[in-house]
Amino acid sequence: MPGITVNNKIGSGRSGYMLVSPYIIFFALFVAYPLIFSFVLVFHHWSIVGPMEFVGLGNFAEMFSDSVYWKSIINTLVFLLIHVPLQVVSALVLAEILNRKIPARAFFRAAFFLPVVVSGVAVTVMWKQLFSTDIGILNQMLGMIGINRVPWITDPAWAMPSIAIMATWKNIGLYVVLFLAGLQSVPRQLYEAAEIDGANTVQKFLFITVPAINPVLVMVLILSTLGGFSLFIEPYVLTGGGPMNSTLSGVLYIYRQAFSFFRMGYAAAIGFTLALIVLTVVMLQRKYVEQEI
Amino acid sequence: MSGKFGKLILYLVLIAAACTFLYPFVWMLAGTLKPEAEIMTFSPLGSRYSLDSYKLMISKIPIFRSLFNSLLVSIISTVCVLFLCSMTGFALARLKFKGRSAIFAVILFTMVLPFQLTLIPLYVLMVKLGWVDTYAALIVPYTMSPFAILLFRQFFMAIPEELIDAARIDGLSDMGILFRLFWPLSKPALITVGIVHFMGIWNEALWPLIVVRKEEIMTMPQMVTLFAVSGQAEAQIGLQLAAAAVMILPIIIVYLFLQRYFIESMATSGLKG
């Protein structure tokens, strides 16, 4: 760093330590200790009262044959499989439209962003009623155009896709804004030059727009993945993880094991594997998506 | 798309999208005021409007207590983050000391650490500290954030060295430089960190559900969640919607006035995450 020399020589070392000391204490207590303790906890059975019982890799062995655990992983993948494409495509379409001279552009941007700022709990309480099979207004609207009632959150096959739709509705505004920023970074002249060379709309999109928004695309993928593996309050409020565990998420399963069954070691072990999956997926996304395009 | 017709189509898409995002809120707010039997109609119009749902909800759960708790917890932790993280960011950006790059590396490392890993051990720590069912459990673990530190650091690195030299000649201490010179120059960073952190704590539901069981300490997301999933509000849709409305109305009102700051701040946090 340039220029830190002149008056900083005296005292700034001490002052530096003083200023970072709150962080060091914070880190030791709320990051380092839990991190180290998690490596102890995953090898034990513990109900939080009473002694810890060492079980070696017992928790991981149990997890391996625990069909509910695997169900929660599959549920998360189902969620991501619907949520990510839906999110990317619809956010990109809306951003592309907003990236023009259009009246009331600021209003639309603000409108799309509103669900992003409101509480997930409130959004879920609201959607629980919208999703109601017999009397919900979603099914009323479908009924008007002659489509049969959809058992949004009462049918195991529909419940997770419904949560994915709701989560997309809630988050999309953020991605519209991010894509819009990416699109606006493309110089107009590039499109004009391409037009002179005879490129059509699809070619312009593929060879100019997509490379420009690639960093945003990677970020959307990563944030969506993190979101998928953090899913908790939506299934907790909407379905309680049901019907038939079809919306049980990884974090909800941790919560259930820890606070319904008081199995801290097993819950920590589940968290441990989820963290590994998240880190691996995010690293792969960074590597491949960034290189490919 | 070209021509007037194409423009019109695009505009219709935007309007349809805006309705998709806004109408559910209109429907919900109308539903809290309509008679119970009329909530599940598509139209926001009811035969009469009243505050009955709110009155009944207030009689069932201490919603104002949880509103107070939410404000208390969110404000204190946000103020702490602004002070403590700007101090750390300042030291990392502008002061020389041994181990500075190591601390920077540690902060980068904590940013990628998935919370699923430390969730249960952190709860165990709260139990050991005796913080379960106290405000401390809701506030202290949220008094610093790696995102805030990195944002402050980045911002502070761009401030010209001459200003600091001049301030030192005027006899300002490091703390003086941070709070009297850097803070006024860093309003965008302060606003971003303030909004992002406040919203994060205000909306957080999982952590309170884990560390709080006493009704007097509960924040709004937790109170509303438990109300919605317990039998208390069963078959009374108006009550559940009213509870949700109390939680989002303050945010919507603030958002109406500061939407530009909200959008920019949360987009920044997305880019950093």
Side-chain angles (χ1 to χ4, degrees):
Chain A
M1 215 158 298
I4 297 229
T5 43
V6 198
N7 296 305
N8 276 352
K9 276 175 195 152
I10 314 159
S12 77
R14 222 175 46 214
S15 153
Y17 291 125
M18 207 189 76
L19 287 172
V20 296
S21 58
Y23 180 74
I24 293 175
I25 297 168
F26 180 89
F27 172 80
L29 202 55
F30 298 119
V31 184
Y33 171 79
L35 195 58
I36 294 165
F37 191 65
S38 80
F39 283 91
V40 177
L41 200 48
V42 293
F43 299 113
H44 290 80
H45 278 171
W46 191 35
S47 70
I48 208 154
V49 285
M52 292 169 87
E53 178 200 345
F54 180 77
V55 292
L57 291 172
N59 285 324
F60 294 99
E62 181 183 341
M63 204 184 308
F64 201 73
S65 55
D66 178 354
S67 62
V68 181
Y69 168 75
W70 290 110
K71 180 84 182 135
S72 78
I73 302 284
I74 291 167
N75 290 341
T76 306
L77 296 180
V78 169
F79 173 85
L80 288 175
L81 223 55
I82 297 166
H83 179 60
V84 172
L86 195 62
Q87 180 127 279
V88 169
V89 171
S90 30
L92 201 49
V93 167
L94 291 177
E96 180 68 41
I97 300 179
L98 280 185
N99 190 28
R100 290 153 204 260
K101 284 210 184 80
I102 256 175
R105 205 168 80 159
F107 163 78
F108 286 115
R109 197 175 73 136
F112 300 164
F113 206 80
L114 182 63
V116 178
V117 299
V118 304
S119 137
V121 171
V123 163
T124 314
V125 168
M126 179 170 88
W127 275 80
K128 194 175 185 174
Q129 304 309 326
L130 300 179
F131 275 143
S132 166
T133 307
D134 294 329
I135 50 174
I137 65 169
L138 272 179
N139 278 348
Q140 287 181 32
M141 283 166 70
L142 291 178
M144 282 184 233
I145 51 171
I147 298 174
N148 277 340
R149 286 173 184 169
V150 175
W152 298 105
I153 52 173
T154 44
D155 184 305
W158 270 101
M160 204 55 171
S162 298
I163 290 182
I165 291 170
M166 180 180 81
T168 307
W169 179 88
K170 170 137 178 34
N171 295 335
I172 206 164
L174 178 64
Y175 301 111
V176 170
V177 170
L178 295 175
F179 275 131
L180 193 55
L183 291 174
Q184 281 167 346
S185 71
V186 187
R188 280 264 151 243
Q189 297 94 306
L190 261 178
Y191 288 108
E192 284 157 19
E195 267 163 37
I196 292 166
D197 290 341
N200 61 30
T201 312
V202 176
Q203 285 170 324
K204 278 191 290 183
F205 179 77
L206 280 182
F207 297 112
I208 302 177
T209 311
V210 170
I213 56 163
N214 188 33
V216 183
L217 205 59
V218 175
M219 211 182 57
V220 173
L221 283 177
I222 291 175
L223 288 178
S224 304
T225 308
L226 294 178
F229 282 96
S230 317
L231 214 55
F232 169 76
I233 201 67
E234 295 84 353
Y236 187 80
V237 171
L238 209 53
T239 55
M244 291 163 66
N245 285 333
S246 62
T247 56
L248 184 73
S249 69
V251 178
L252 189 53
Y253 196 43
I254 295 179
Y255 183 82
R256 194 183 277 180
Q257 286 293 341
F259 304 107
S260 300
F261 307 138
F262 299 100
R263 303 187 64 207
M264 297 300 154
Y266 193 49
I270 295 169
F272 186 85
T273 59
L274 287 183
L276 276 187
I277 297 173
V278 169
L279 283 176
T280 315
V281 174
V282 168
M283 254 160 45
L284 288 178
Q285 282 173 342
R286 246 195 194 143
K287 203 170 154 211
Y288 285 103
V289 184
E290 259 170 6
Q291 277 175 355
E292 235 175 53
I293 307 175
Chain B
M1 297 246 185
S2 55
K4 279 207 168 134
F5 184 67
K7 264 252 164 82
L8 186 71
I9 299 265
L10 294 183
Y11 219 69
L12 287 178
V13 172
L14 283 186
I15 291 170
C19 292
T20 310
F21 292 110
L22 294 181
Y23 190 70
F25 292 110
V26 174
W27 174 83
M28 178 174 97
L29 292 177
T32 62
L33 301 169
K34 288 194 283 193
E36 183 76 18
E38 296 169 21
I39 294 175
M40 287 306 206
T41 56
F42 184 76
S43 155
L45 301 172
S47 60
R48 62 185 183 85
Y49 297 102
S50 73
L51 292 172
D52 290 350
S53 292
Y54 290 93
K55 284 181 194 148
L56 198 55
M57 185 257 308
I58 289 166
S59 74
K60 287 204 167 194
I61 50 172
I63 192 84
F64 291 115
R65 177 66 196 238
S66 69
L67 175 65
F68 168 79
N69 289 341
S70 272
L71 280 173
L72 183 86
V73 166
S74 310
I75 289 173
I76 294 180
S77 72
T78 304
V79 170
C80 287
V81 161
L82 290 177
F83 277 93
L84 298 175
C85 292
S86 67
M87 281 162 59
T88 315
F90 177 73
L92 291 176
R94 289 306 194 167
L95 300 176
K96 259 190 186 162
F97 55 96
K98 251 190 205 145
R100 189 179 71 176
S101 50
I103 291 175
F104 183 58
V106 162
I107 292 171
L108 286 180
F109 163 74
T110 60
M111 267 202 93
V112 298
L113 208 63
F115 77 93
Q116 293 91 336
L117 189 59
T118 49
L119 187 65
I120 298 301
L122 206 52
Y123 166 71
V124 172
L125 179 66
M126 296 298 122
V127 174
K128 286 187 176 165
L129 291 170
W131 284 4
V132 171
D133 280 336
T134 68
Y135 288 119
L138 295 175
I139 296 171
V140 184
Y142 291 104
T143 49
M144 295 194 93
S145 101
F147 159 73
I149 294 174
L150 293 181
L151 191 81
F152 279 125
R153 173 182 171 274
Q154 202 184 12
F155 224 87
F156 292 162
M157 278 167 68
I159 293 175
E161 189 63 32
E162 295 80 49
L163 285 177
I164 302 174
D165 291 340
R168 287 206 197 280
I169 291 164
D170 287 348
L172 277 185
S173 65
D174 284 332
M175 285 295 214
I177 290 175
L178 171 59
F179 292 119
R180 289 171 51 193
L181 177 65
F182 276 37
W183 266 44
L185 290 172
S186 309
K187 281 190 193 118
L190 291 164
I191 290 171
T192 298
V193 168
I195 289 180
V196 170
H197 197 78
F198 186 92
M199 296 301 295
I201 306 299
W202 179 268
N203 291 336
E204 173 68 36
L206 172 59
W207 184 244
L209 277 169
I210 289 179
V211 291
V212 172
R213 260 138 252 174
K214 247 187 16 219
E215 221 173 37
E216 302 89 84
I217 310 290
M218 287 182 185
T219 59
M220 260 202 292
Q222 180 181 14
M223 184 73 79
V224 175
T225 299
L226 293 178
F227 185 56
V229 300
S230 75
Q232 260 187 308
E234 191 138 28
Q236 286 176 299
I237 298 161
L239 293 194
Q240 295 188 35
L241 293 182
V246 172
M247 181 161 42
I248 62 174
L249 273 177
I251 295 297
I252 290 186
I253 291 168
V254 178
Y255 177 71
L256 283 181
F257 291 101
L258 301 176
Q259 38 114 340
R260 195 168 61 86
Y261 294 106
F262 270 76
I263 294 175
E264 280 166 13
S265 301
M266 295 178 89
T268 310
S269 80
L271 286 168
K272 289 280 143 39

